Structure formats: structure tokens, C-alpha cells
């Protein structure tokens, strides 16, 4: 008899996200077992308990999901998990803290599609502002865009924090191959004049870009907002917008709202959870893999 | 529609062991519910909530698993759970903290088998040492071997007081006759092992407790078993996969490695979970039942 599918779900937070639990069940996992308040130092023991209690064949039906809120911690836990296993005692691991990796992947893939369809161009060489970019989604999106060739600036309320996050993104997630800059909200009005693309990933209900900002953004092509709670993060943009022209834009910029991005995010997370089940060899999934999948989904829904 | 089977997994630790989760799912439990940071005084209430929410027919499909790291606490918890039952509202309870009960049961059963087959001896004829004897697997190994009649001493690597305290506590709890010993240096170990028939090694993974030179001093040694699967082995000369290897020195002694023990442990835990799931009458399973199952399996 084939072993039932078990997903061991680790989080550093005090609860799992019910979003991830629903997604895991719907992707075909039969048991989703929570491990909460997990510390980085506990990952190795937990992983080894996972791998030594089933045969290599049974381990094909076993997986580990890493949640939490902190992108670096999740990325480190993924590495630790991978290094705690040895062939043939291996299982697939998928990190998606706060859903940030799949959300960021969905957003960047949608932006690429709009650039291609409406402006016949790519992220390569574009000036990109990541507003409210110090949070988990902003970080992952900034890295993905920078890896795709954009000149990214993370904007936060405090320059010191923006700089710290930019450094983290460059060194930890970009492995020194990208060069994300930092900036502060106070200088937003200047930066926006030369921006081609804007990501708004701030807290829900805060307007990061006003109508005046939009009017002064004469290079702007695509603006994406993950905030589904009114008021939207970008003036004139609605959560349902999926490539609709932004009112008041001089440059014909189009907007991507939270629900359009969320749709791709949802499909991406679901496919990655299924990939863990279907893959012959173990897979170790994070934001880069999420982005590959999101790009394919976006292409196929053209 | 038949009720789905539920295993309520009570654990005093912040998280359950993924090992136990995999085992429980593979035994056939439909639904596993983890309960973390459970304190002893919550067990009564949790148990009654488990029994009173299903009909007597439905609760046959309901079980309790007690995990954690502390053998004494697990025994208190299984006693408390048992007392909380109100017949016919009664369900099976299995305790296996750190997998210690099933690991220890497998270790002692494997050693007992080699004693009989290669040396025609019983545990009751033998003097035994448990290195790493103050940890969960070590204590359970000592208690099982002692209750089977062996003369057993728990060895701590640092403190004779710690070893004596543990021996006294579990003698009181389990009516065993354990003693405590300390051996940190090779000299102390050599002196201690000179007249023993059995060596159990349940020390921390990846630490060699007995070198070839020290082991050669165990002139009476008949069987040595090691549960450390991470190299270097706890006892020099015993590979993790060895089910029964003749040691070069002392001559005639047999070694049993961690994966050979682990294979039996796995089967024992599986069997106990099956009993928890399928028994007509509720069962209360601890290291004693683990040992009798392990004896049948070997």
C-alpha cells in the first residue's frame, strides 16, 4: 500500500498560517502536521526524525514546509534542512514565509507580462522602486526583479533600515550578484520621476503613491500593489485591476491589483506543493523556483 | 459511516517528534492531533475530553500517544490518563517518550537473543552496564534489563550522584534494582567493565564511549549493544549495520549495532501503534509491553 502523504509544516511563529494549511490539503497532502515556535537550532533534529522513520520509498510521500515571517530565517532553515539529509534519506522542502516568496513571484511575473504586452520590453535596465519594500514580500520581489536585470531601489520610512534590507538582499538572497539600492520615503517624490516600475508592498491600508506622484511619474509603465484593503497602496489602482490604465498617468502606465497578483500567487503555491508530491528526486524550493513557476503560469494564461 | 480513527498526541515538549508522526500515519491513523507543551495536570482534562466526545463504539477508533523526553513524566502521564477513563468510555494509551521505550525494548531483546544463542545465558545470570545510563533510552534499558533479572548499573560520565539519583528514582517507580556508577576516563571505564557480561551503550550520538583498548579489558563480556547510528560508533568495532558480529577482543563477545536495533525498534513501535488502533479492549502500553513485543519480534 502506498504511504499516505505527510507534510511536516515548520514555523517560527506561534501558529501556522491557515492559508498554507488549506493550500497543502488542496494540493493533495493528506496530513498537514504543525510544528510551531520552531527555533533554527531545532531544524536538524526535526528533519532527521522525519527522514529516519520511513523507507526511502515512503519518503517520496513525505515533505517539509517552512513558514514563519522572516525571509532570511526561512532561507537559512531551508539550507539547514537540506544539509541535515543524506541520500537516500531525503524529502522535498519548500520555504514560503508569510507566503512572501510566492506572492513576490506572482507580482514580478505579472509585471513582466505587462511590460512585454503593453510596452514590448523587459525588466532589463528598468528603474524600479520597491515601496514599503523592507517587508518579506518587498524583499523577495526586489531580489527577483534585480536578478531579472532591473535597477531596484528599496524605499522605506527609515534609510538605515532600507539600507540594511538592501544589503541583506544583495548578499544573502542575491549572493553578491545583484546591487539593490536603498532610499527613504522622504525622497519618494524625486525617485518617482524616473521610475519605470513601482512595487507597492507596504502595510494594508496605507497609500504609498498619491495621485500627484502618479502625475509626475513620466516614465512609469507598470505599477503593482499587493494591498487588497482600501485605500489601495497606489492612488487610482483597484485590487481587481489586471493591466488596466492608471487614471492620471501621463505615460500610459498600467496597474496590477492585489487580486490579479493573488490569483497567480495561489496557482504558484499550489503547483510548488504539487511538485513536492510529484517529483521523483527531492526538490528544495524557494523564491527563485516560485518565480520560474509563476512565469510559466503567466505565459500560459496569456 | 465508520468514524475516522484519531490519535491525540500529548507532548510536554514544544513540538511532537516527526518520527512518531510518520509512524502513526503509516500505522493507519486517519487523523493526528498534536497537543504541545502539555503539563501533567492537563492530562486528566484532555483525556476526558477525548473520551466523552464519542460513543463507546466511536472511541474504539480513538487513541492517545504520550511523547516528550522524560520517562518519569511519561509514566505519570499514562497513569493519569488511565485514571481519567470512565468505563465504558475508555481508550488505549501508548507512551514512548523520545522513542526511548521502543528503542530500549529492542536493544534489550536483541542482546537477550544473542546471549541465549551464542552463550546459552539468560539476562538473570548476567551483570550489565548501561553507558549513557541517565538519558531516556539508558534509563529505560536499565529498567527493562533489571526487571528481567539482570544486575544492572547505570553509568553517568560525570556524576555518581546523578547516576544514583536516577537509579533510586526509577527503582521506586518501577520496582527495579538499579545501581549507579560513574566513569569518565578510560581508566575508570576499564575498571568498571572488567567483570560485566553485558554492555549497553545509549550515550549521545557521534561519541565513542569505549575504544578498542578499553573494550579489551572486558574479559567477561558476552554481548555489547550500541544505539548510536552516527559515526564514530559508541563502541569501537561495532558497525551500525551489525546484527551479530564477533568482536576481536575480548574473544567470544558479540556486538550489535544501531541499525540492527533500530530495525526492531521500528517494528515494535509499529506493533504498539497497531494495538492502540485495533485492540477490542483498551490497552495501556509502556516499556513493559514494548519489551514483550520486542522479544516476540526477535
Amino acid at each position: 500500500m502506498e504511504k499516505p502523504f505527510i507534510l511536516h509544516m515548520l514555523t517560527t511563529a506561534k501558529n501556522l498560517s491557515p492559508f498554507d494549511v488549506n493550500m497543502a490539503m488542496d494540493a493533495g497532502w493528506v496530513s498537514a502536521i504543525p510544528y510551531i515556535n520552531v527555533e533554527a537550532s531545532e531544524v536538524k533534529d526535526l528533519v532527521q526524525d522525519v527522514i529516519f522513520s520511513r523507507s526511502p520509498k515512503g519518503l517520496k510521500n513525505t515533505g517539509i514546509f517552512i513558514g514563519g515571517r522572516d525571509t532570511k530565517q526561512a532561507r537559512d532553515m531551508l539550507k539547514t534542512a537540506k544539509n541535515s539529509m543524506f541520500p537516500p534519506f531525503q524529502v522535498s522542502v519548500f520555504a514560503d514565509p508569510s507566503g512572501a516568496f510566492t506572492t513576490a513571484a506572482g507580482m514580478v511575473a505579472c509585471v513582466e507580462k505587462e511590460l512585454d504586452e503593453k510596452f514590448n520590453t523587459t525588466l532589463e535596465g528598468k528603474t524600479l522602486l520597491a515601496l514599503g519594500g523592507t517587508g518579506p514580500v518587498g524583499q523577495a520581489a526586489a531580489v527577483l526583479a534585480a536578478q531579472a536585470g532591473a535597477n531596484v531601489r528599496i524605499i522605506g520610512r527609515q534609510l538605515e533600515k532600507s539600507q540594511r534590507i538592501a544589503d541583506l538582499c544583495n548578499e544573502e538572497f542575491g549572493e553578491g550578484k545583484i546591487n539593490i539600492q536603498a532610499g527613504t520615503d522622504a525622497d519618494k517624490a524625486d525617485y518617482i520621476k524616473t521610475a519605470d516600475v513601482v512595487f507597492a508592498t507596504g502595510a494594508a491600508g496605507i497609500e504609498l503613491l498619491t495621485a500627484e506622484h502618479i502625475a509626475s511619474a513620466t516614465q512609469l509603465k507598470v505599477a503593482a500593489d499587493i494591498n487588497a484593503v482600501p485605500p489601495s497602496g497606489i492612488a487610482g489602482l483597484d485590487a481587481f485591476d489586471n493591466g488596466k490604465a492608471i487614471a492620471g498617468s501621463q505615460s500610459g502606465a498600467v496597474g496590477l491589483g492585489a487580486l490579479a497578483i493573488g490569483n497567480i500567487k495561489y496557482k504558484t503555491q499550489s503547483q510548488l506543493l504539487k511538485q513536492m508530491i510529484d517529483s521523483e528526486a527531492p526538490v528544495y524550493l524557494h523564491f527563485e523556483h516560485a518565480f520560474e513557476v509563476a512565469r510559466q503560469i503567466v505565459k500560459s494564461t496569456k | 459511516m465508520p468514524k475516522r480513527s484519531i490519535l491525540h498526541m500529548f507532548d510536554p515538549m514544544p513540538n511532537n517528534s516527526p518520527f512518531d508522526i510518520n509512524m502513526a500515519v503509516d500505522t493507519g491513523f486517519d487523523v493526528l492531533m498534536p497537543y504541545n507543551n502539555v503539563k501533567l495536570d492537563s492530562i486528566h482534562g484532555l483525556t476526558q475530553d477525548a473520551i466523552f466526545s464519542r460513543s463507546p463504539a466511536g472511541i474504539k477508533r480513538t487513541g492517545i500517544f504520550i511523547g516528550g523526553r522524560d520517562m518519569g513524566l511519561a509514566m505519570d502521564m499514562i497513569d493519569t490518563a488511565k485514571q481519567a477513563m470512565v468505563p465504558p468510555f475508555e481508550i488505549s494509551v501508548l507512551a514512548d517518550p523520545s522513542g526511548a521505550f521502543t528503542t530500549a525494548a529492542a536493544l534489550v531483546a536483541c542482546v537477550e537473543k544473542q546471549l541465549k544463542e551464542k552463550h546459552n545465558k539468560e539476562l538473570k545470570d548476567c551483570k550489565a552496564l548501561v553507558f549513557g545510563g541517565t538519558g531516556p533510552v539508558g534509563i529505560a534499558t536499565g529498567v527493562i534489563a533489571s526487571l528481567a533479572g539482570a544486575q544492572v548499573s547505570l553509568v553517568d560520565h560525570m556524576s555518581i550522584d546523578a547516576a544514583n539519583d536516577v537509579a533510586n528514582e526509577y527503582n521506586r517507580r518501577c520496582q527495579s534494582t538499579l545501581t549507579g556508577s560513574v566513569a569518565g576516563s578510560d581508566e575508570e571505564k576499564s575498571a568498571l567493565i572488567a567483570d560485566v557480561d553485558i554492555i549497553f551503550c545509549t550515550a549521545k550520538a557521534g561519541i565513542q564511549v569505549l575504544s578498542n583498548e578499553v573494550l579489551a579489558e572486558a574479559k567477561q563480556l558476552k554481548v555489547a549493544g550500541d544505539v548510536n547510528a552516527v559515526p564514530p560508533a559508541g563502541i569501537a568495532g561495532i558497525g551500525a549495520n551489525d546484527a551479530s558480529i564477533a568482536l576481536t577482543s575480548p574473544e567470544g563477545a558479540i556486538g550489535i549495532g544501531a541499525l540492527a536495533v533500530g530495525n526492531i525498534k521500528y517494528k515494535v513501535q509499529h506493533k504498539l501503534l497497531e494495538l492502540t488502533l485495533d485492540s477490542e479492549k483498551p490497552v495501556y502500553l509502556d516499556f513493559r509491553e514494548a519489551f514483550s513485543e520486542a522479544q516476540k519480534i526477535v
Side-chain angles (χ1 to χ4, degrees), chain B residues 132-217:
Chain B
T134 50
V137 179
I139 298 169
T141 300
V143 169
I144 292 169
S146 171
L147 292 179
Q151 188 189 333
V152 187
S153 189
L154 303 178
V155 186
D156 190 81
H157 67 293
M158 291 199 1
S159 158
I160 181 68
D161 291 337
N164 282 331
D165 285 351
V166 169
N168 291 334
E169 182 192 341
Y170 285 90
N171 288 343
R172 206 166 48 237
R173 279 180 183 281
C174 311
Q175 289 79 51
S176 51
T177 53
L178 298 165
T179 58
S181 312
V182 66
S185 67
D186 280 357
E187 290 71 32
E188 287 173 310
K189 289 174 192 167
S190 300
L192 205 55
I193 65 177
D195 66 340
V196 302
D197 306 289
I198 300 169
I199 295 175
F200 297 112
C201 184
T202 62
K204 219 175 157 183
I207 293 175
Q208 189 184 73
V209 177
L210 299 175
S211 65
N212 271 318
E213 293 71 40
V214 173
L215 192 60
E217 299 300 319

Side-chain angles (χ1 to χ4, degrees), chain A residues 23-75:
Chain A
M23 293 292 293
M25 288 296 188
D26 292 347
W29 293 93
V30 172
S31 288
I33 305 294
Y35 302 83
I36 58 172
N37 293 314
V38 172
E39 293 184 23
S41 61
E42 296 167 328
V43 171
K44 184 180 168 196
D45 282 351
L46 288 171
V47 169
Q48 294 195 339
D49 267 6
V50 169
I51 59 175
F52 288 135
S53 39
R54 280 184 151 181
S55 66
K57 192 158 165 281
L59 289 177
K60 285 216 173 84
N61 294 355
T62 317
I64 296 173
F65 179 87
I66 295 172
R69 304 230 158 265
D70 186 311
T71 42
K72 166 147 171 37
Q73 206 168 32
R75 190 83 174 77

Side-chain angles (χ1 to χ4, degrees), chain B residues 9-34:
Chain B
M9 304 181 79
F10 300 160
D11 202 304
M13 298 295 288
N15 282 294
N16 294 81
S17 155
F19 195 105
D20 299 329
I21 301 276
N22 283 353
M23 293 290 293
V25 169
D26 291 349
T27 304
F29 277 98
D30 296 320
V31 178
L32 305 186
M33 289 307 304

